[in-house]
Amino acid sequence: ELKLIADVGLVGFPNAGKSSLLSAMSRAKPKIASYPFTTLEPLRGTVHYNDGHQIIMADVPGLIDGASEGRGRGMEFLRHIERTKALIYMVDAGGVDGRDPVQDLRILGKELREYGSSGIFGDDDEHDDITSSIGDDTDDMIRRRREIMNRPSLILANKMDLFSEDGRKEELLFQLGEVAEEVGINCKPGDILGVSAGVTGEGLRGLSRRLREVVSKVD
């Protein structure tokens, strides 16, 4: 089975703004609309830098709670991100659809963690028996799944243009940092950023710089 290969995979619920981010940072032209599952197939865009450096970013179908158990397009989504170097977790900071960005990040982390420890991951003896009979391809799949939560990650709180007070922004970023540590997302405090991908462009320049730094470390 061929899988999408990209430097960075965008992880988020439908309507978090992943397509807007991809459009704002690359030449990709994804379908953008305010209804769930606008992105039905993976879409890649290339982030270009002035010195010629490029980073491939992938927007994949939105995740839902229960994806690791096969709900929605979850398993399809999760397989796509197996072959990415880094991840961007994206939440709707404005809660436009009544969502809670802090809880959303908790669910996203949980789904990826459960996917990484699901399927044919039994005890070591069972693992050895299965992989010896199926082959190296399956062993490589197991390794990629287990490494998902170890991949360097950025966390983006999108739609920050809806916040009128800086104090509320800082509080949200702090709470997202606490959840990231709770669920085991591999990111540093400076990797939790507020952006406005589809309206003002707030934070995108800083994101571009930090994205390059993160991806370069795993090249």
Side-chain angles (χ1 to χ4, degrees):
E1 179 185 358
L2 293 177
K3 297 180 177 69
L4 180 69
I5 298 175
D7 297 309
V8 182
L10 297 177
V11 180
F13 284 95
N15 289 347
K18 297 185 282 57
S19 294
S20 295
L21 179 68
L22 187 67
S23 178
M25 297 191 67
S26 76
R27 298 172 183 172
K29 300 299 180 185
K31 181 186 293 184
I32 300 173
S34 58
Y35 55 86
F37 300 109
T38 306
T39 301
L40 299 178
E41 299 295 335
L43 180 66
R44 297 193 300 181
T46 302
V47 182
H48 295 268
Y49 292 83
N50 291 334
D51 62 357
H53 187 75
Q54 298 179 358
I55 290 177
I56 299 175
M57 183 182 294
D59 175 19
V60 294
L63 193 64
I64 64 171
D65 193 4
S68 60
E69 301 171 359
R71 289 188 60 198
R73 303 173 68 90
M75 294 303 290
E76 177 183 345
F77 162 86
L78 291 164
R79 289 190 186 102
H80 284 309
I81 66 169
E82 285 177 21
R83 287 189 175 180
T84 59
K85 297 178 183 178
L87 299 174
I88 292 178
Y89 291 80
M90 196 166 189
V91 296
D92 175 2
V96 174
D97 295 325
R99 305 199 65 95
D100 178 347
V102 176
Q103 180 63 12
D104 279 355
L105 182 63
R106 181 175 288 111
I107 294 172
L108 292 172
K110 176 182 70 73
E111 292 297 337
L112 266 67
R113 185 179 63 219
E114 291 182 358
Y115 179 70
S117 60
S118 65
I120 60 176
F121 308 137
D123 56 37
D124 291 338
D125 291 337
E126 179 184 358
H127 165 68
D128 291 341
D129 291 341
I130 293 173
T131 54
S132 63
S133 62
I134 298 179
D136 292 340
D137 288 345
T138 297
D139 197 52
D140 184 55
M141 178 194 70
I142 293 172
R143 177 186 57 78
R144 291 198 308 272
R145 282 194 180 185
R146 283 178 169 166
E147 289 177 350
I148 283 178
M149 293 303 289
N150 293 327
R151 292 179 191 178
S153 302
L154 300 175
I155 296 174
L156 298 186
N158 189 31
K159 306 180 186 178
M160 293 295 265
D161 54 285
L162 298 178
F163 282 69
S164 58
E165 301 177 8
D166 290 339
R168 290 181 59 205
K169 296 180 182 181
E170 295 302 321
E171 180 182 359
L172 174 59
L173 297 180
F174 176 78
Q175 291 175 336
L176 292 175
E178 289 188 319
V179 170
E181 182 176 0
E182 170 192 326
V183 299
I185 296 173
N186 181 17
C187 73
K188 300 177 181 178
D191 294 336
I192 304 171
L193 309 170
V195 301
S196 173
V199 181
T200 67
E202 173 188 348
L204 295 186
R205 188 181 298 274
L207 168 61
S208 179
R209 290 194 299 268
R210 187 60 190 136
L211 180 63
R212 179 170 180 171
E213 293 171 356
V214 169
V215 172
S216 296
K217 291 180 179 179
V218 292
D219 280 338

